Amino acid sequence: MHLEVQNKKLNKTMSITKGTPNTDFNWEYAPAPEAKDHAKLKKQYDLFINGEFVKPNSKKYYNTINPSNEEVLAQVAEANEKDVDLAVTAARNAYEKYWKKMPAKERAKYIFRIARVIQERSRELAVIESLNGGKPIRESRDFDIPTAANHFFYYAGWADKLEYAFPNRHPQSLGVAAQIIPWNFPLLMAAWKIAPALATGNTVVLKPAESTPLTALKLAEIIQDCDLPPGVVNIITGFGNTGAAMVKHPNVNKIAFTGSTDVGKIIQKSIAGTTKKITLELGGKAANIVFEDAPINQAVEGIINGIFFNQGHVCCAGSRLFVQEGVAEEVISKLKARMETLIVGDPLDKNTDLGAINSKEQLEKIQSFLKIGVNEGLEMYQSSCSLPKKGFFCKPTLFIGAAQSNRVVQEEIFGPVLTIQTFRTIEEVIEKANNIPYGLSAGVWTDKGSKIFNLTSKLRAGVIWANTYNKFDPTSPFGGYKESGFGREGGLHGLMPYLKF
Ligand code: NAP
Ligand code: MG
């Protein structure tokens, strides 16, 4: 079954299974960098409050960098409690004065306008997303920015149809929503939060993650260009304590948080005893399950897409692979061969598959998990690619022969690290897949529809993909079970957390 192939260029012996389509792993592509001169960044960004950019009361700014070369991109304001209060007050006034009273079809026009301008400026936004976040331009250009625009289009459509969405239930807006988002999909997460809130008639204070504020600030400029009534959307930057002040503010009616389970728990505690509504989208540790009857080449591509594209910075990343015993050897050798073709490097190069890890802190977290896996006695395999000298990069990594009790299996790594376990029966894999604190997503690869239906009813995950992975659509709800949080974003379900009945 097996061939030992000498890859001359890499001077390395590789093991591949007969029938692997491509044995020439080491194609070299000419660099294809995306131009960045059309992406206009200011040297310094203030807080977007009440329709204007204003200096922070804290008088403090911090540097936001490009994680692929550690160069400073801009300075960003740090909002303190006073700034948070100004933003929440602006949102409250806008709610009472304009937004609550505006006919829904007028509200919809503003949301459509935002969607259109995001589309028009998509090239610039994609470049800034990759510069600030480290993700490959292919991802930000083909996925993040178009999907962000689609969310605004989709929810603009709902704004004047809420009575049809929830017949005879007379849905009403809540008031001011405080929205806190992470660094892995900066503009897309802002869209997931802002679009349904505006469509349902709420006003917003949004805080992007400290390491990726720039596309949210560009969105603030877009919102200004779209002439939204002042204060309907406020975008403030800062660190964890800025987020904490938003959560605690007495004039906030609704909290929407996407981020780590640890911070989610802190937030839940801090609002105990209040009437604030809350949705939490937290961590994940998805099982990607490959059965013997699966189309193996497609499954290998889906596994690669599920964990390595986007550096594994995806809450729903397929970070735990379960392979049925009979095909384990074949799947692992094909995975290794495919990993050799992955290009790690400049996020702005159109050929890049894995860009930069978002921050030094995150890279150190991933590296500490690599040590943990090795110390747990697992076989570690990394592709032989070389990493850029500057910036934060990590090789795509496998931990082969993992067991349920390993920390690398149980804990969220949030990097390009895949653990591999084998299984014999459906019952065994369901038990193993569910035996984890998280329940955000899962993947199933099989030729049999009956197996898919059986698994989808038994896997405790909010989203399950069958014979594909990481597919998103604004019409489809997304969210978790257990420690992955509660509440849904996207689709009709995504309107509900912003309404009272
Ligand atoms: P994080 O540390 O929890 O931060 C998320 C956001 O919360 C950031 O804006 C952060 O500000 C802010 N924050 C930090 N401490 C806070 C506090 N005490 N009160 C209020 N806000 C606070 O998460 P992250 O490291 O940015 O993102 C990675 C995590 O997000 C992963 O665990 C991932 O699974 C999860 N995630 C989940 C989903 C989903 O849909 N379920 C989507 C994406 C990511 P700073 O940036 O200044 O710390
Ligand atoms: Mg953080």
Side-chain angles (χ1 to χ4, degrees):
M1 280 298 278
H2 265 75
L3 292 171
E4 290 287 304
V5 176
Q6 192 72 25
N7 187 324
K8 289 193 192 103
K9 238 177 186 168
L10 301 172
N11 195 19
K12 188 173 166 199
T13 303
M14 307 205 54
S15 166
I16 52 164
T17 305
K18 258 186 189 167
T20 303
N22 166 30
T23 54
D24 180 11
F25 321 104
N26 205 23
W27 290 346
E28 283 196 8
Y29 291 86
E34 172 73 36
K36 53 184 180 188
D37 47 350
H38 57 89
K40 298 275 175 283
L41 284 174
K42 292 193 275 192
K43 281 213 167 72
Q44 197 175 72
Y45 283 91
D46 292 321
L47 305 170
F48 184 65
I49 297 177
N50 208 25
E52 289 174 4
F53 283 92
V54 297
K55 301 259 171 254
N57 274 288
S58 68
K59 300 196 170 53
K60 285 190 200 155
Y61 292 83
Y62 69 92
N63 289 336
T64 187
I65 64 162
N66 175 344
S68 72
N69 58 19
E70 299 168 61
E71 280 170 15
V72 174
L73 293 169
Q75 285 204 317
V76 175
E78 195 185 318
N80 64 14
E81 271 185 39
K82 182 92 205 298
D83 299 306
V84 169
D85 182 51
L86 288 175
V88 173
T89 307
R92 169 65 54 195
N93 290 341
Y95 177 70
E96 302 293 346
K97 250 165 91 182
Y98 317 107
W99 208 239
K100 191 167 80 170
K101 296 181 192 157
M102 191 180 283
K105 72 173 197 300
E106 295 304 316
R107 243 177 22 230
K109 288 182 196 167
Y110 285 107
I111 309 170
F112 271 122
R113 214 181 277 172
I114 298 171
R116 291 287 301 276
V117 181
I118 291 176
Q119 265 189 336
E120 277 164 27
R121 291 174 61 175
S122 59
R123 221 175 128 218
E124 180 190 7
L125 290 166
V127 168
I128 296 172
E129 202 70 301
S130 286
L131 280 173
N132 201 195
K135 63 172 60 192
I137 186 73
R138 213 176 54 206
E139 286 281 317
S140 41
R141 181 197 61 195
D142 297 347
F143 176 68
D144 290 59
I145 311 302
T147 316
N150 285 347
H151 269 269
F152 280 103
F153 276 123
Y154 175 73
Y155 280 111
W158 272 125
D160 62 350
K161 300 174 196 72
L162 298 177
E163 290 288 346
Y164 298 93
F166 307 104
N168 301 321
R169 294 181 66 194
H170 311 299
Q172 287 162 47
S173 55
L174 300 173
V176 176
Q179 308 185 316
I180 302 169
I181 57 174
W183 41 258
N184 55 349
F185 293 92
L187 187 73
L188 182 58
M189 286 296 131
W192 275 30
K193 297 275 178 289
I194 296 175
L198 296 187
T200 46
N202 299 280
T203 57
V204 165
V205 179
L206 176 114
K207 184 192 103 63
E210 65 194 59
S211 58
T212 53
L214 292 179
T215 45
L217 290 162
K218 280 277 150 190
L219 180 62
E221 291 177 0
I222 289 173
I223 282 164
Q224 216 176 20
D225 291 347
C226 290
D227 265 340
L228 245 75
V232 170
V233 176
N234 305 273
I235 296 180
I236 59 175
T237 46
F239 302 99
N241 49 359
T242 310
M246 289 164 64
V247 169
K248 285 194 197 109
H249 199 289
N251 230 339
V252 161
N253 305 94
K254 149 87 193 167
I255 292 152
F257 172 81
T258 299
S260 59
T261 298
D262 289 345
V263 175
K265 286 179 182 170
I266 295 173
I267 292 179
Q268 228 180 339
K269 273 188 203 143
S270 85
I271 62 156
T274 72
T275 55
K276 290 173 189 171
K277 263 193 140 186
I278 182 167
T279 36
L280 298 174
E281 303 278 2
L282 308 175
K285 191 79 184 176
N288 204 357
I289 303 167
V290 180
F291 285 94
E292 279 165 2
D293 59 6
I296 298 297
N297 289 341
Q298 284 94 317
V300 167
E301 207 48 40
I303 297 163
I304 295 275
N305 171 28
I307 184 68
F308 294 137
F309 291 168
N310 234 336
Q311 307 77 249
H313 288 347
V314 188
C315 48
C316 50
S319 50
R320 291 183 297 150
L321 175 64
F322 290 93
V323 196
Q324 203 161 14
E325 266 182 14
V327 289
E329 220 180 305
E330 181 186 359
V331 169
I332 293 170
S333 67
K334 285 187 171 175
L335 257 180
K336 287 180 175 174
R338 179 67 177 93
M339 280 163 73
E340 279 304 310
T341 69
L342 293 176
I343 299 173
V344 185
D346 180 8
L348 282 189
D349 192 309
K350 290 162 200 136
N351 297 320
T352 296
D353 296 303
L354 282 85
I357 301 300
N358 182 261
S359 65
K360 184 159 179 270
E361 197 188 0
Q362 185 60 23
L363 179 60
E364 285 168 358
K365 182 180 161 196
I366 297 167
Q367 284 165 341
S368 79
F369 270 108
L370 297 186
K371 283 204 192 103
I372 291 168
V374 171
N375 289 339
E376 286 181 317
L378 301 181
E379 179 193 342
M380 181 169 93
Y381 175 88
Q382 292 189 309
S383 73
S384 63
C385 64
S386 57
L387 298 181
K389 297 255 167 337
K390 272 193 130 179
F392 317 128
F393 290 91
C394 180
K395 290 184 180 186
T397 305
L398 303 179
F399 277 120
I400 300 164
Q404 205 60 24
S405 57
N406 292 138
R407 279 187 64 191
V408 285
V409 168
Q410 289 291 327
E411 295 176 36
E412 188 184 44
I413 302 173
F414 225 57
V417 183
L418 178 67
T419 60
I420 306 181
Q421 294 170 261
T422 56
F423 69 94
R424 288 186 183 169
T425 64
I426 292 198
E427 292 70 31
E428 179 191 352
V429 78
I430 291 171
E431 180 144 348
K432 283 181 172 170
N434 285 340
N435 186 5
I436 193 112
Y438 297 108
L440 192 57
S441 60
V444 182
W445 298 83
T446 170
D447 201 25
K448 300 274 181 301
S450 55
K451 240 183 240 171
I452 293 172
F453 285 118
N454 184 13
L455 275 152
T456 45
S457 62
K458 292 182 183 142
L459 288 175
R460 300 195 61 212
V463 179
I464 301 172
W465 288 288
N467 294 325
T468 186
Y469 207 88
N470 268 349
K471 292 283 177 284
F472 286 90
D473 190 284
T475 63
S476 170
F478 183 86
Y481 273 83
K482 302 191 277 187
E483 291 204 8
S484 293
F486 47 79
R488 294 289 177 266
E489 292 184 298
L492 186 68
H493 300 69
L495 294 164
M496 274 192 269
Y498 291 96
L499 291 168
K500 56 183 178 222
F501 298 95

